[in-house]
């Protein structure tokens, strides 16, 4: 029988997320849901190729309406709801009215093909492909297959979450045996399914930062910030803010502030995280959009330049003033950087992106 591959993660030289057959053949997803997932994954791919870990995808509302044949919003919302229920996205929302965007918070890259429903689907497809039913019709066999999967689906989905690749393989082999046992009264397997048809797993390939901070590019700083943020808050950082711009723009502000001094840029990020607590009660969240606020930029910079520490609240009376909101922004920061350091902002950012050494 043809062997199917379970991709626990992408170990390719260029690890793009493709709409692999293991996803496209998952019978939990219909054609329209796959189309929406394909649009989301395309954006993830583009950013990943630039070294950026994407956690938020924006798709224009009008574009989605057109792609889905000028349908109303209700079908698109239903497709998105299904992707969320199946674990392909974390959440979705709308912004900006008729001319606005659909916003999807997505799972980490490797979790697309590690999705429990996809993994179960691979095993189910292997079983169906190899089964030879006895009798006049396959209807009874397929009905029994559906009944068997529904009976244990929730249990196996829960077990497949948050376990290593070795454990996943054990669970999937067990699931395969279970399905085979349920179907024996309806026919036989030809050729017999053997556990060796289950593929070997691959090691996770995460974005690796260069050993020397001086070798970092802007994508490395973005990944470093995003990783620190998730370690502290246990959630992914959004890709952009309607009021404050993109995560990339916020990190660029810090880089420009130090005229490309990468050691100071990293120190700035570290001091920011140390000085800004993640506290729901006090409504503080160390997002990049807050870090990029001009007033806060200057306060952290003083700590970086002096070698001292930075604390968001110097005393109790400041606790209700945690957002400097940009009302006192210093408009000539970029000009001062250029004048004092002799490098213009565009040249600096091109060098950091690797476009100009």
């Amino acid at each position: 029988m043809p062997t199917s591959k379970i991709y626990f993660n992408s170990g390719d030289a260029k690890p793009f997320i493709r709409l692999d057959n293991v996803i496209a053949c998952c019978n939990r997803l219909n054609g329209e849901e796959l189309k929406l997932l394909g649009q989301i994954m395309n954006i993830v791919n583009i950013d990943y190729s630039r070294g950026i870990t994407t956690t938020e995808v924006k798709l224009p509302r009008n574009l989605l309406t057109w792609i889905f044949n000028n349908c109303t919003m209700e079908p698109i919302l239903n497709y998105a709801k299904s992707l969320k229920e199946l674990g392909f996205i974390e959440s979705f929302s709308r912004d900006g009215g008729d001319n606005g965007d659909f916003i999807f918070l997505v799972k980490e890259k490797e979790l697309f093909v590690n999705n429990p429903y996809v993994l179960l689907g691979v095993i189910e497809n292997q079983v169906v492909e190899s089964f030879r039913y006895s009798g006049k019709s396959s209807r009874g066999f397929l009905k029994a297959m559906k009944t068997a999967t529904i009976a244990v689906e929730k249990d196996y989905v829960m077990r497949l979450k948050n376990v290593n690749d070795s454990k996943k393989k054990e669970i999937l082999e067990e699931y395969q045996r279970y399905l085979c046992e349920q179907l024996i009264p309806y026919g036989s397997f030809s050729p017999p399914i053997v556990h060796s048809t289950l593929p070997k797993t691959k090691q996770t390939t995460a974005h690796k930062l260069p050993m020397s901070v001086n070798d970092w590019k802007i994508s490395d700083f973005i990944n470093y910030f995003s990783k620190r943020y998730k370690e502290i808050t246990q959630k992914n950082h959004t890709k952009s803010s309607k009021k404050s711009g993109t995560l990339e723009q916020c990190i660029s502000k810090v880089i420009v502030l130090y005229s490309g001094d990468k050691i100071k840029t990293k120190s700035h990020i570290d001091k920011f995280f140390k000085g800004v607590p993640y506290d729901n009660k006090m409504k503080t969240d160390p997002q990049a959009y807050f870090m990029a606020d001009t007033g806060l930029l200057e306060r952290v910079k003083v700590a970086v330049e002096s070698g001292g520490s930075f604390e968001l609240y110097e005393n109790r009376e400041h606790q209700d003033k945690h957002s400097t909101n940009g009302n006192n922004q210093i408009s000539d920061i970029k000009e001062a950087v250029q004048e004092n350091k002799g490098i213009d902002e565009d040249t600096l950012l091109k060098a950091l992106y690797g476009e100009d050494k």
Side-chain angles (χ1 to χ4, degrees), residues 54-325:
T54 296
T55 57
E56 180 182 275
V57 171
K58 284 188 176 183
L59 292 172
R61 181 170 175 173
N62 288 331
L63 173 64
L64 289 179
T65 301
W66 173 255
I67 289 174
F68 290 104
N69 200 27
N70 291 333
C71 69
T72 62
M73 283 298 101
E74 185 176 359
I76 300 176
L77 289 171
N78 287 335
Y79 305 149
K81 181 180 178 181
S82 179
L83 292 182
K84 179 183 177 182
E85 290 174 348
L86 292 173
F88 288 103
I89 61 175
E90 292 184 353
S91 64
F92 63 93
S93 60
R94 287 179 287 176
D95 183 41
D98 290 340
N99 292 314
D101 301 309
F102 265 86
I103 303 171
F104 303 93
L105 293 185
V106 301
K107 299 287 186 179
E108 295 179 2
K109 186 186 79 67
E110 65 272 12
L111 297 183
F112 279 101
V113 285
N114 274 331
N115 182 287
Y117 293 100
V118 171
L119 297 178
L120 293 179
V122 170
I123 300 301
E124 292 159 9
N125 293 344
Q126 287 181 3
V127 170
V128 171
E129 186 178 8
S130 291
F131 191 76
R132 299 295 179 264
Y133 62 89
S134 58
K136 296 181 180 181
S137 171
S138 63
R139 186 172 299 175
F141 146 63
L142 293 175
K143 183 177 179 180
M145 179 72 178
K146 189 69 174 179
T147 301
T149 59
I150 291 174
V152 297
E153 181 180 77
K154 289 183 179 179
D155 177 58
Y156 275 96
V157 166
M158 290 301 298
R159 291 174 60 190
L160 285 168
K161 290 181 178 179
N162 302 318
V163 294
N164 60 35
D165 288 353
S166 177
K167 188 64 177 177
K168 279 191 179 83
K169 186 174 180 180
E170 291 179 14
I171 295 171
L172 291 172
E173 287 178 344
E174 177 190 316
Y175 184 59
Q176 187 183 67
R177 289 193 297 271
Y178 160 77
L179 292 177
C180 292
E181 291 169 359
Q182 299 301 308
L183 296 177
I184 287 299
Y186 299 89
S188 61
F189 293 92
S190 178
I193 292 183
V194 293
H195 300 317
S196 60
T197 61
L198 292 174
K200 294 180 180 180
T201 62
K202 301 177 182 179
Q203 297 300 314
T204 302
T205 54
H207 179 90
K208 293 183 179 179
L209 296 171
M211 292 293 292
S212 172
V213 176
N214 285 322
D215 293 332
W216 287 16
K217 297 189 181 301
I218 193 166
S219 60
D220 297 310
F221 281 104
I222 291 171
N223 275 284
Y224 178 71
F225 185 94
S226 299
K227 182 179 179 181
R228 289 291 310 277
Y229 181 82
K230 187 168 185 176
E231 288 173 350
I232 293 170
T233 67
Q234 300 301 307
K235 62 181 182 179
N236 291 325
H237 195 288
T238 56
K239 186 180 176 184
S240 62
S241 164
K242 187 175 181 180
K243 294 182 179 180
S244 305
T246 66
L247 173 58
E248 183 175 302
Q249 290 170 335
C250 294
I251 299 297
S252 295
K253 280 188 176 183
V254 180
I255 295 171
V256 170
L257 184 65
Y258 296 103
S259 300
D261 188 318
K262 299 176 183 180
I263 301 298
K264 288 184 177 180
T265 298
K266 180 177 180 295
S267 176
H268 187 105
I269 293 173
D270 291 337
K271 288 183 183 294
F272 168 75
F273 278 119
K274 190 172 183 180
V276 179
Y278 177 58
D279 191 319
N280 288 327
K281 184 177 181 181
M282 297 171 69
K283 297 182 179 180
T284 56
D285 189 340
Q287 292 188 346
Y289 319 121
F290 185 34
M291 181 180 70
D293 178 273
T294 302
L296 201 64
L297 278 173
E298 289 299 307
R299 286 182 59 194
V300 179
K301 183 182 179 183
V302 170
V304 172
E305 298 287 6
S306 67
S309 61
F310 161 74
E311 292 183 10
L312 180 61
Y313 303 127
E314 295 177 354
N315 54 54
R316 297 292 297 181
E317 68 181 77
H318 290 147
Q319 290 189 3
D320 292 327
K321 300 178 181 180
H322 55 271
S323 176
T324 51
N325 71 36

